[in-house]
Amino acid sequence: MYIASLHSNNETSKTFKLIDKYLKDGEEVDLLILEGFNHSLGASPMSMVTWANNQGRDGFYEGYETAYAIKVASTKKKIFWGAEPDVEFIIEEAKKYGFGCRDVLFYFFVQQVFQNKENGVLEGKSIKDFFNSFLQDHLIYFKTVPELTDFLSWFQIKNKFEFKLEDIDEEVPAPNFRGELYTQRVSSAICIIRDRFICTVIADKMNEQKNVLAIFGGSHWSTQRRALSDTFGEPRFL
């Protein structure tokens, strides 16, 4: 089964209700494959269980449906795996599309800015503090440690406009291989890299277990559908 979700962080959403239908209320799922954390962490990593269990206050999940699915899966004693490639893998593969290490990492920062802006997490925080926090999590991937000014310069040169929080909407990090924005083109390459890797993970786990539930954003389904259909046959929509 594959839930092509509208990303949501609220328990009242249709996405969360679908998870309840096939995971919380059903017993047929043997294994989950989830978006948003690395496959290399292994089966049902405790760090992700702890992360998920710290969410859900007032029905709100900062980690979107992935956090909710992990929380339910751990309660139901279901095995779950992340499907994301490691950052090193993405950086290396992105070179084939003409993008460097900083292009990938600075794009990740733009993406996190948008996501956290939407969640309200950035309220009361400065971009400098948020960048420094991002840097601590990604320091090992940079050959030389960048300053916030390096990111701002990169953004303005590549995207042809100044970085301002109020201007970072969903279009700035959205994937578009022929997009006007450089971040859109980087995003497109990363999406292709991720989707190829994710399809491999899904295929491997389908060979291990009979009843597998994959939960990913709907945009992934649009690019993964052909590969999955060629491998497993045409989908049956529920």
Side-chain angles (χ1 to χ4, degrees), residues 6 11-12 29 37 50 53 56 63 86 97-98 100 116 126 139-140 142 151 163 190 214 219 222 224:
L6 286 171
E11 280 185 350
T12 62
V29 174
F37 63 101
T50 301
N53 284 339
D86 291 338
Y97 296 88
N116 283 276
S126 70
L139 199 58
I140 61 172
F142 286 100
F151 164 75
F163 178 92
I190 292 174
S219 62
S222 65
Q224 295 170 9

Side-chain angles (χ1 to χ4, degrees), residues 1-81:
M1 289 182 286
Y2 191 115
I3 294 179
S5 67
L6 286 171
H7 287 311
S8 175
N9 47 32
N10 195 301
E11 280 185 350
T12 62
S13 71
K14 291 181 179 179
T15 296
F16 280 52
K17 291 184 184 304
L18 275 175
I19 294 171
D20 285 344
K21 180 178 180 179
Y22 293 109
L23 181 60
K24 191 174 184 179
D25 302 328
E27 297 293 338
E28 66 272 21
V29 174
D30 299 316
L31 182 148
L32 284 83
I33 306 171
L34 302 171
E35 180 177 4
F37 63 101
N38 291 2
H39 185 64
S40 61
L41 289 175
S44 305
M46 187 52 61
S47 60
M48 297 306 299
V49 174
T50 301
W51 171 77
N53 284 339
N54 286 331
Q55 301 182 47
R57 184 177 299 173
D58 298 324
F60 179 83
Y61 286 78
E62 184 180 323
Y64 294 88
E65 63 273 6
T66 293
Y68 183 68
I70 291 173
K71 199 171 186 178
V72 175
S74 62
T75 301
K76 301 280 286 185
K77 309 298 184 188
K78 302 293 185 180
I79 299 168
F80 65 89
W81 285 80

Side-chain angles (χ1 to χ4, degrees), residues 99 103 106-108 110-111 151 154-155 158-159 161 168 171-176 179-190:
F99 300 117
D103 292 329
F106 282 166
Y107 166 77
F108 284 157
V110 172
Q111 184 183 45
F151 164 75
W154 172 88
F155 187 93
K158 299 295 188 180
N159 274 343
F161 70 93
I168 305 302
E171 289 301 315
V172 178
N176 186 341
E180 293 183 7
L181 300 182
Y182 191 76
T183 44
Q184 293 174 335
R185 300 193 293 276
V186 176
S187 177
S188 182
I190 292 174

